[in-house]
Amino acid sequence: MEEEIMRLFENGVIMEQVFEADEDAYDGMNVHIKESMDSNHFVAMLRSSISQWTKQRKRGVWIKLPIEHADLVNAAVKEGFWYHHAEPTYLMLVYWIPQTPHTIPANASHRVGIGALVINHTGEVLVVQEKNGTFRGTGVWKLPTGVVDEGEDICDAAVREVHEETGIKAEFIELLAFRQSHKSFFEKSDLFFICMLKPLSYEIHKQNSEIDGAQWMAMEEYAAQPFVKKHEMFNKIAEICIAKKENKYSGFSQVLMTSGFSAKRNYLYFNQKQFTLPEN
């Protein structure tokens, strides 16, 4: 019965059954496992597929394995596949066909975060005290911060995080500075962008689950906190914020445009005050 499942007749010739796969731009094959199968069936198809793709001079093989088919992981690993990345609903496994060092790109290497400088009409800055994390119980007043969601633009993330933590509606103005650090969350690198926002409302409604306190504070009082003065990075960010308040610093604003590879529109951040793009 298994032989009947694993072999098909085509023009009187017995053909090995292979996985349906999409070819990518790098001579790789992308397999999407959608139906349940036992491990023996899976391994037989895998071997047949790789044999055929080897003859076709294909290179990387990617298997997207939904969580409901996680029982096939062990069989794939025994055939030489390794983990590339995992998401809540699937695991990605990869394999390199040529007898050369592989050139499969690594999983995403960075997490992206934002900090938001929001200055009201009297020159005060919006600050919060966190209930959780590193700043819990320290009494430090800090800028609202958060993590950029998948598929979310930096400018939109800053607006969202400010509203979630403080209830303040705001609009993005400029990207003031960014910091890169390494060996952070799960050994990944971290990019953190300081964004300036203009408030569209002023009455604070803090997020009770994560925020212990939120208020408008004089910029100089925020910058003079012992924690801020003690740490070089925080002190420099505070200096940048003060310079921006005094119109002595200019950051990067966002411009929506298309790239050379697709019609999808993306933001390019640059200093428009010192550079004007020629009109199309």
Side-chain angles (χ1 to χ4, degrees), residues 15-237:
M15 304 292 293
E16 295 287 347
Q17 190 177 3
V18 301
F19 285 114
E20 293 185 4
D22 301 319
E23 185 174 353
D24 62 30
Y26 303 94
D27 292 325
M29 305 303 292
N30 301 298
V31 180
H32 301 271
I33 303 297
K34 298 179 180 179
E35 299 179 357
S36 298
M37 63 181 71
D38 63 51
S39 59
N40 291 331
H41 184 182
F42 174 74
V43 168
M45 287 189 67
L46 200 56
R47 291 175 178 174
S48 297
S49 300
I50 291 176
S51 176
Q52 178 171 308
W53 296 331
T54 300
K55 295 174 184 177
Q56 296 172 348
R57 298 185 180 279
K58 302 305 178 185
R59 306 200 301 165
V61 180
W62 302 75
I63 294 183
K64 186 176 183 180
L65 200 61
I67 193 169
E68 57 267 27
H69 303 318
D71 57 304
L72 299 177
V73 169
N74 187 50
V77 170
K78 287 183 177 179
E79 292 301 308
F81 280 76
W82 68 90
Y83 299 139
H84 187 268
H85 66 272
E87 293 292 341
T89 60
Y90 74 87
L91 175 72
M92 187 69 77
L93 297 161
V94 291
Y95 179 89
W96 186 247
I97 294 176
Q99 299 300 309
T100 60
H102 78 78
T103 59
I104 291 175
N107 184 24
S109 60
H110 285 68
R111 190 184 81 151
V112 180
I114 61 91
L117 171 67
V118 188
I119 303 176
N120 65 17
H121 56 285
T122 62
E124 295 175 313
V125 60
L126 181 64
V127 292
V128 299
Q129 288 182 334
E130 295 184 343
K131 281 186 176 181
N132 308 300
T134 305
F135 290 96
R136 179 177 58 184
T138 63
V140 174
W141 291 97
K142 57 182 286 293
L143 301 179
T145 59
V147 177
V148 179
D149 290 336
E150 183 177 352
E152 184 178 38
D153 288 301
I154 292 168
C155 53
D156 295 332
V159 170
R160 173 182 56 77
E161 284 290 350
V162 165
H163 187 255
E164 287 179 357
E165 291 191 357
T166 69
I168 297 296
K169 295 180 180 179
E171 65 177 352
F172 178 87
I173 301 299
E174 287 182 346
L175 193 160
L176 300 179
F178 71 92
R179 176 226 68 201
Q180 183 183 30
S181 62
H182 304 288
K183 297 294 181 180
S184 185
F185 298 91
F186 303 105
E187 298 298 302
K188 299 296 184 181
S189 297
D190 186 77
L191 284 171
F192 184 78
F193 293 87
I194 304 296
C195 304
M196 182 180 180
L197 277 62
K198 176 184 177 181
L200 302 177
S201 65
Y202 301 94
E203 186 175 351
I204 294 173
H205 301 281
K206 72 179 180 69
Q207 183 182 38
N208 292 324
S209 61
E210 295 186 16
I211 302 301
D212 202 35
Q215 66 173 347
W216 295 101
M217 175 182 285
M219 178 71 77
E220 293 72 20
E221 182 181 352
Y222 160 74
Q225 293 180 96
F227 178 88
V228 173
K229 301 297 290 185
K230 178 181 177 181
H231 295 276
E232 184 180 19
M233 186 79 68
F234 284 87
N235 189 51
K236 180 57 65 176
I237 290 173

Side-chain angles (χ1 to χ4, degrees), residues 239-250:
E239 290 177 356
I240 292 171
C241 292
I242 291 173
K244 183 60 188 177
K245 176 190 173 184
E246 297 174 350
N247 293 318
K248 296 178 180 178
Y249 183 88
S250 183

